[in-house]
Amino acid sequence: MKFPLKPLSLSVMLSMGSVQLALAQDSDAANASVPTLSAIRISALPLHTELNKAVGAITVVETHDLLSTNAADTLGNVLAQSPGIHSDTFGAGAGRPVIRGQTAPRVKVLSDGVEFMDASGVSPDHAIPADIFSAERIEVLRGPSALLYGGGAIGGVVNIVDNKIPTAIPEKAFSGRIQLQGSTVDKGNAEAISLTGNTGSVVVQLNANHSEGKDYRVPHWKDRRVGNSNTLSDNMSLGVSFVGDRGYIGAAYSYRYDKYGLPGHTHEYEDCHPHGSSLHCGGHSHDHGHDHDHGGHDHGHDHDHEHDHQTNAVLRSDRFDLRGELDNPLPGFESVRFRAGYTDYRHDERDDGVTGTRFTNRGYDGRIELQHKPWMGLTGVVGVQASKSNFKSVGGSENFIPPSKTHSTGLFMVESYEWDALRFELGARYEWQTIKPETQSVKRPLNRYSDQAASLSAGVSWAFAPDYVASLSLSRSQRMPNAQELYARGVHFATLTYELGNQDLKKETSHSIDLGLRKTEGAAQFAVNLFHSDIKNYIYANTLDQYEDFRLIQYTQHDARFTGLEAEASYQFNPIVKATVYGDYVRGSLRHHGGSLARIPAARVGVRTDFTWNNWQAYLNYSQHFSQNRIANYESRTAGYAMFGAGVSYKTKLAGNTYEFYVKGNNLFNRLGYNHTSFISRAAPLAGRNVIAGVRMEF
């Protein structure tokens, strides 16, 4: 990128300008009715810290924003409207969160503190089986607080707080929510229902939803629609809790079924294989002496990967969850909190209905947290986490990862101390990991991996003035390689690569600093975070050779660094009008070998205006995504694009029920946009103009 400082400067100037404008307003505007964040407690933090007291950067997406999303939206797309978060879109069916330039496996996605145990970390075409329609809110933790869920969460933690296991007795004996929705870009529809009932101390929760959409439209596109971008999803959960005076205990069963197309999926390079560090593709004339364009330009060929058959991913997940909390469980402890989940996951990739490769993962993840009573001013939590994953990929020609069993155990603690306007936090985690590959199905020697990792974090927040908080966080975290990075060998069609694992990989060690300044109450609110990470032995997919669109990659490690900024500032001019400006920027590069890392999101700035009047709410949103010219070898530059959206909703009561009617539009200017973080950005551009309309009834 030729002008990385321009979007940063613009974002900072907009933020500071908004703050200065806010401070200059009269007292009447300053006392306008505005929402505050002090009541929001973060479930993913062991101490349930209030948002306005948190040391690290935290984003919370509330229920209202989740329920009006597109039926086909992925978790990544839902969060991509927040500063510092993007999505590595893979058509309409899959998209993982990209936080501060990092995605899986350095971003963990949790279901109320427990991992999903899916296969989304293996490939971007594997959807995260998260039920967004039934979520109460989504919490995104960045910085040191994310380390409590593993040293590998260098990018962050996404915690989906759902209601499938009730935690309290509701006010009504029977209540619920019904929602109907449609979207134009994919001719999609969605239906959802949520029911809650209780008899005394027993509470039952039922959630169910269905959504589907056809291939989505794209402007200025040769086929007008992206082939194989259709989606279908079914979700159901049933939970029961016993709620008493000292806490609750509950269990739930969840079922998910997805069937979605895989744009750009081709078996054309099925016979490609490596000769040393070079590719050989049978039937192709591949001159190993040709001059690669390391500058990242397009390779000049017009290669058609379209096929007349359907390629789909079919996902099924059966999950059991157990959750509970108990006050005063033992002398010296205020509460105990436990979470456990078992998942039986299957992902089939089908051509014209015939299953080629099947990925399965059966495993569990559980954690217990004990919060001790205040001692010499200290409040804190100690805990243990254990997980096991039995991963397999069988059949077909995409069996590039051998079956393996991964065991992980972690001990963690966090302590907090408040002194006047200062709040100190200290956290630590020590974990053990063992990976046992199955050697019977492979002809090469595979070694068992076993290692330990230690992570430490320290932070302080300073409420130096009413409603103002400054924070500083330092962390030292370690991530151990996973089975794919160690043992992969074979063709990976989703990313059009031949992957080579590396059993000599060492664990990563990251040293990070995070500076924050925020104002969380009043007419003027803002949050600015600067972050920098130096990562020793950073593991990445290094491209060795390329033929047309197909690349030979090997997992390699070198020292890397990530530097960036996230900023958001808003001002409530009066009870009706609120304006917000936001922006983010991240730079990821190799320290001693030069060059940028691949698929780093481009800088972005945006402006949003919200209107609230009686029962009406509306918004206008404009965002500018800048071009990405800082690219890795064999990577193409991506042009910038702009997005404009708007929405309006009306809420009313009728016969004791609450009804909300809403209409929202995305990409209303119908711009063609390519997502630089996507592996298939050229095969599946961002969706064109889309209008979403729906109605929601609560009773």
Side-chain angles (χ1 to χ4, degrees):
M1 183 178 296
K2 295 181 179 179
F3 47 91
L5 294 179
K6 290 186 178 180
L8 278 177
S9 301
L10 178 59
S11 176
V12 173
M13 287 190 293
L14 288 172
S15 300
M16 293 302 103
S18 177
V19 173
Q20 292 172 0
L21 174 64
L23 296 178
Q25 300 297 316
D26 57 27
S27 59
D28 292 338
N31 293 325
S33 176
V34 296
T36 63
L37 301 177
S38 58
I40 300 177
R41 293 183 178 272
I42 307 304
S43 297
L45 297 178
L47 296 176
H48 284 192
T49 307
E50 292 181 0
L51 182 56
N52 65 345
K53 293 184 178 180
V55 173
I58 297 176
T59 298
V60 177
V61 181
E62 293 286 4
T63 303
H64 185 273
D65 297 320
L66 296 173
L67 293 177
S68 60
T69 59
N70 186 7
D73 264 352
T74 63
L75 177 63
N77 284 346
V78 170
L79 296 175
Q81 306 302 316
S82 304
I85 309 175
H86 297 257
S87 176
D88 63 348
T89 52
F90 203 98
R96 305 173 302 185
V98 179
I99 304 176
R100 294 182 171 180
Q102 309 279 2
T103 186
R106 296 180 184 87
V107 172
K108 289 186 177 292
V109 180
L110 310 174
S111 175
D112 203 2
V114 177
E115 291 195 48
F116 279 96
M117 287 295 170
D118 54 8
S120 60
V122 173
S123 177
D125 68 322
H126 293 190
I128 299 172
D131 183 4
I132 297 174
F133 269 92
S134 299
E136 292 187 340
R137 69 177 184 271
I138 301 177
E139 304 166 344
V140 182
L141 279 62
R142 286 155 284 189
S145 56
L147 301 181
L148 296 176
Y149 295 92
I154 295 173
V157 165
V158 177
N159 186 46
I160 301 172
V161 181
D162 54 53
N163 64 349
K164 62 185 178 184
I165 297 180
T167 61
I169 299 176
E171 295 181 359
K172 298 181 179 179
F174 182 73
S175 60
R177 182 180 70 229
I178 299 175
Q179 182 172 356
L180 302 174
Q181 183 176 280
S183 53
T184 61
V185 74
D186 57 353
K187 299 181 180 179
N189 63 273
E191 306 83 33
I193 185 170
S194 178
L195 302 174
T196 306
N198 74 90
T199 56
S201 57
V202 178
V203 187
V204 180
Q205 178 71 43
L206 172 66
N207 298 314
N209 58 72
H210 166 84
S211 65
E212 58 183 308
K214 298 181 180 180
D215 293 347
Y216 67 83
R217 288 199 303 265
V218 172
H220 314 297
W221 191 247
K222 58 182 179 179
D223 297 320
R224 307 184 74 177
R225 292 183 181 272
V226 174
N228 280 351
S229 62
N230 54 293
T231 62
L232 184 148
S233 180
D234 287 304
N235 285 275
M236 187 279 292
S237 68
L238 177 63
V240 180
S241 286
F242 176 83
V243 182
D245 294 335
R246 294 174 55 197
Y248 75 93
I249 183 171
Y253 165 74
S254 306
Y255 166 83
R256 180 175 179 119
Y257 174 86
D258 280 82
K259 182 179 180 181
Y260 56 91
L262 300 175
H265 199 86
T266 175
H267 288 256
E268 183 174 353
Y269 304 105
E270 187 171 333
D271 60 351
C272 289
H273 56 278
H275 282 182
S277 60
S278 299
L279 266 175
H280 176 74
C281 298
H284 294 293
S285 176
H286 187 187
D287 180 8
H288 297 298
H290 70 278
D291 182 18
H292 290 294
D293 181 5
H294 289 193
H297 299 282
D298 291 334
H299 297 288
H301 64 277
D302 183 13
H303 201 74
D304 187 7
H305 297 306
E306 297 296 330
H307 292 262
D308 58 0
H309 63 266
Q310 288 288 319
T311 304
N312 298 101
V314 180
L315 176 158
R316 172 168 174 161
S317 175
D318 293 275
R319 180 180 175 90
F320 298 88
D321 282 277
L322 180 67
R323 302 172 187 167
E325 294 187 34
L326 181 65
D327 295 335
N328 301 312
L330 296 169
F333 291 93
E334 283 192 349
S335 64
V336 61
R337 182 186 189 210
F338 62 89
R339 301 284 187 270
Y342 172 82
T343 302
D344 186 353
Y345 171 91
R346 185 182 73 196
H347 174 107
D348 295 343
E349 297 193 352
R350 299 178 181 176
D351 285 334
D352 290 334
V354 179
T355 299
T357 305
R358 171 171 292 178
F359 299 87
T360 64
N361 193 5
R362 293 181 177 89
Y364 64 81
D365 184 29
R367 59 192 290 124
I368 299 176
E369 301 168 357
L370 276 167
Q371 179 175 344
H372 65 75
K373 293 183 178 180
W375 178 71
M376 297 181 63
L378 290 172
T379 58
V381 166
V382 295
V384 60
Q385 179 181 3
S387 65
K388 177 184 177 181
S389 170
N390 186 1
F391 177 83
K392 294 181 180 180
S393 61
V394 296
S397 54
E398 199 178 2
N399 187 14
F400 64 98
I401 305 177
S404 62
K405 295 181 180 180
T406 301
H407 297 257
S408 179
T409 303
L411 300 175
F412 58 88
M413 59 80 68
V414 59
E415 293 290 337
S416 174
Y417 180 82
E418 294 190 22
W419 178 56
D420 290 338
L422 296 173
R423 183 173 186 272
F424 300 91
E425 273 192 11
L426 179 66
R429 181 183 177 95
Y430 195 86
E431 54 191 331
W432 298 261
Q433 176 178 287
T434 301
I435 305 176
K436 298 178 180 179
E438 184 179 300
T439 59
Q440 296 177 352
S441 59
V442 295
K443 299 179 181 179
R444 54 195 172 98
L446 299 178
N447 301 321
R448 176 177 177 268
Y449 177 89
S450 181
D451 205 352
Q452 303 90 39
S455 300
L456 299 170
S457 66
V460 58
S461 63
W462 177 31
F464 60 92
D467 304 331
Y468 288 85
V469 179
S471 62
L472 168 66
S473 300
L474 303 172
S475 65
R476 183 259 194 191
S477 58
Q478 292 186 316
R479 184 183 83 89
M480 292 171 282
N482 58 28
Q484 182 174 359
E485 295 164 334
L486 292 168
Y487 309 120
R489 188 177 183 89
V491 177
H492 189 181
F493 295 121
T495 56
L496 289 181
T497 56
Y498 191 102
E499 295 194 10
L500 295 173
N502 184 351
Q503 297 189 64
D504 294 326
L505 293 176
K506 304 174 183 178
K507 57 190 173 188
E508 301 175 346
T509 301
S510 172
H511 294 88
S512 303
I513 182 171
D514 195 305
L515 292 169
L517 178 64
R518 61 185 182 269
K519 184 175 184 291
T520 57
E521 298 187 29
Q525 300 182 11
F526 66 89
V528 180
N529 281 87
L530 295 165
F531 60 90
H532 176 81
S533 296
D534 278 320
I535 306 177
K536 183 179 180 181
N537 296 323
Y538 182 81
I539 302 171
Y540 67 102
N542 182 35
T543 300
L544 304 178
D545 194 13
Q546 180 166 346
Y547 176 76
E548 296 183 342
D549 294 330
F550 193 80
R551 295 177 299 122
L552 172 64
I553 66 169
Q554 183 174 41
Y555 288 103
T556 311
Q557 55 188 173
H558 292 111
D559 295 348
R561 61 176 41 162
F562 289 81
T563 303
L565 172 146
E566 304 152 354
E568 183 175 28
S570 64
Y571 185 72
Q572 188 91 37
F573 292 95
N574 52 53
I576 297 176
V577 182
K578 176 183 177 181
T580 304
V581 293
Y582 59 90
D584 55 53
Y585 170 78
V586 62
R587 171 87 166 97
S589 60
L590 298 173
R591 290 192 60 189
H592 304 299
H593 290 74
S596 300
L597 289 163
R599 290 175 297 282
I600 300 298
R604 171 181 60 178
V605 295
V607 180
R608 177 183 170 114
T609 305
D610 291 275
F611 306 90
T612 303
W613 181 70
N614 292 335
N615 295 337
W616 292 89
Q617 287 187 326
Y619 73 89
L620 301 171
N621 185 68
Y622 176 86
S623 61
Q624 175 65 52
H625 301 249
F626 293 90
S627 61
Q628 181 57 287
N629 298 319
R630 294 186 181 274
I631 54 177
N633 291 341
Y634 301 94
E635 190 179 23
S636 298
R637 298 180 176 91
T638 301
Y641 58 92
M643 289 288 175
F644 175 73
V648 61
S649 66
Y650 176 76
K651 183 179 289 187
T652 185
K653 285 191 175 183
L654 181 65
N657 301 324
T658 301
Y659 294 84
E660 183 175 8
F661 304 87
Y662 59 89
V663 179
K664 63 179 291 187
N666 298 326
N667 194 8
L668 291 177
F669 291 160
N670 206 30
R671 303 296 190 190
L672 178 64
Y674 295 103
N675 180 14
H676 187 77
T677 61
S678 172
F679 278 87
I680 58 168
S681 62
R682 298 306 188 270
L686 299 175
R689 182 185 295 114
N690 186 26
V691 177
I692 303 166
V695 57
R696 181 166 52 253
M697 181 186 74
E698 296 180 357
F699 57 90

